[in-house]
Amino acid sequence: MAALAAYGTDGYAATSLDALAEHLGIRKQTILYWFPSKRALFEAVIDDAASSLIEAFDAATSSDLVGMDQVEAIIRRVLRLAVQRPELLGLVREVSRPGSLSAERLADRVAPVFARAADFLAREMDAGRFRRSDPSMLLLSLYSTVVGVAGEFEVQRAIGLESTLRVAVERQRELVRFLRAALVPSG
Amino acid sequence: MAALAAYGTDGYAATSLDALAEHLGIRKQTILYWFPSKRALFEAVIDDAASSLIEAFDAATSSDLVGMDQVEAIIRRVLRLAVQRPELLGLVREVSRPGSLSAERLADRVAPVFARAADFLAREMDAGRFRRSDPSMLLLSLYSTVVGVAGEFEVQRAIGLESTLRVAVERQRELVRFLRAALVPSG
DNA sequence: GAGCCTCTCTACCACTTGGTAGACAGATTT
DNA sequence: AAATCTGTCTACCAAGTGGTAGAGAGGCTC
């Protein structure tokens, strides 16, 4: 069922039920037996993706780490997810497009994660480990940077970065250094 | 003609020639008289968008600014562009999706801008104004952060940020602070 | 074995898709 | 005035779209 996340690579509109069914070795009507409409299928895929994302985030935050250690754990998790399941980040990209079909659906399910992340940032600021600023806006910057570095493959090509494993490792280290500089007070 | 950038808001696959023609008050066949195919039209739109992007970047870098002043000028330009012409960043988003139709086309046209940006970063590092690191990877981080903060409206909603003008101003200031901390050496 | 339930199938439908062929009106050239 | 060129139109097409109706196969309980 999760294989249906072909939506994540090609997008909703560009993926027909016929193509999906052929890829699965069944008839389109079998899909429509399980899901009343294409839209419903898409929403089910979104729910499934949301679960995977929440699960990954929980796994990266289960060790009660603080400061940059916690941030680093999340970075590693996201970058690994981007390699292992690129359709996941692709679906996020598709659905978080302004004016998307089911943006709210994913947003609602993922909102608690964002809330926890913002709380974490606020706590770290209180503890003096992170530079003080608006937690929500800082979270937006962090999200953009991490997800962008994880998923902007075409931009990386345009910049001239190869897509070898060695570069990927370097990229992760550079991202950590970048965010450490941005987050940790200079003093 | 530039109004055709409806592709930027809805995406290529989701925008039919009929819909486009109706929106323009003409017949679809008139479009196909000027452009041999839908694909060709899309590529023309991409070229047009690339010109606008390059123009905006040139305007933001024409004053021979250095250090964070230059970065700040670009940030302001990008955020303003995101408000005034959201279809432009939308098109970039659409086309920079992994496995996109004409990713190379936009990438080729924009590559010089990236090259100039990377050179700028290297020069600033040599001058000691920016923390030393790999210019290309730093550029990727910067691009992701700025474009993300500029265009991730759905994520902002999920985080709980309102979309008022006041918040937009705050967001810009916070982004500048974020990148200053990330770029300028702590000493 | 009859009836029922679950599931996948074939057959079909109305509609939309990108694209072609060619008529026709207006302007420009000869 | 005839001929040509330019640009938009109507008419049409084959292919593909999401979705419906219903047949039929296999397993289940009575």
Side-chain angles (χ1 to χ4, degrees), chain B residues 56-86:
Chain B
F57 190 81
D58 286 346
T61 57
S62 60
S63 307
D64 280 332
L65 299 173
V66 294
M68 276 305 293
D69 291 340
Q70 177 62 88
V71 173
E72 218 175 312
I74 296 177
I75 289 176
R76 259 197 292 270
R77 203 85 194 184
V78 172
L79 293 192
R80 193 143 51 95
L81 203 65
V83 172
Q84 290 178 349
R85 303 189 56 189

Side-chain angles (χ1 to χ4, degrees), chain A residues 27-39:
Chain A
R27 303 294 149 234
K28 164 180 63 173
Q29 287 72 9
T30 303
I31 297 179
L32 286 170
Y33 172 79
W34 293 96
F35 302 93
S37 70
K38 186 187 182 185
R39 180 71 188 276

Side-chain angles (χ1 to χ4, degrees), chain B residues 42-119:
Chain B
F42 186 53
E43 297 189 340
V45 169
I46 288 179
D47 289 345
D48 192 59
S51 300
S52 295
L53 291 170
I54 292 171
E55 191 180 337
F57 190 81
D58 286 346
T61 57
S62 60
S63 307
D64 280 332
L65 299 173
V66 294
M68 276 305 293
D69 291 340
Q70 177 62 88
V71 173
E72 218 175 312
I74 296 177
I75 289 176
R76 259 197 292 270
R77 203 85 194 184
V78 172
L79 293 192
R80 193 143 51 95
L81 203 65
V83 172
Q84 290 178 349
R85 303 189 56 189
E87 349 79 53
L88 262 185
L89 292 214
L91 194 74
V92 170
R93 187 196 189 91
E94 158 94 7
V95 108
S96 67
R97 188 188 55 199
S100 158
L101 274 170
S102 307
E104 277 186 72
R105 195 177 185 90
L106 184 59
D108 288 350
R109 296 218 38 195
V110 168
V113 169
F114 280 129
R116 277 175 52 201
D119 283 350

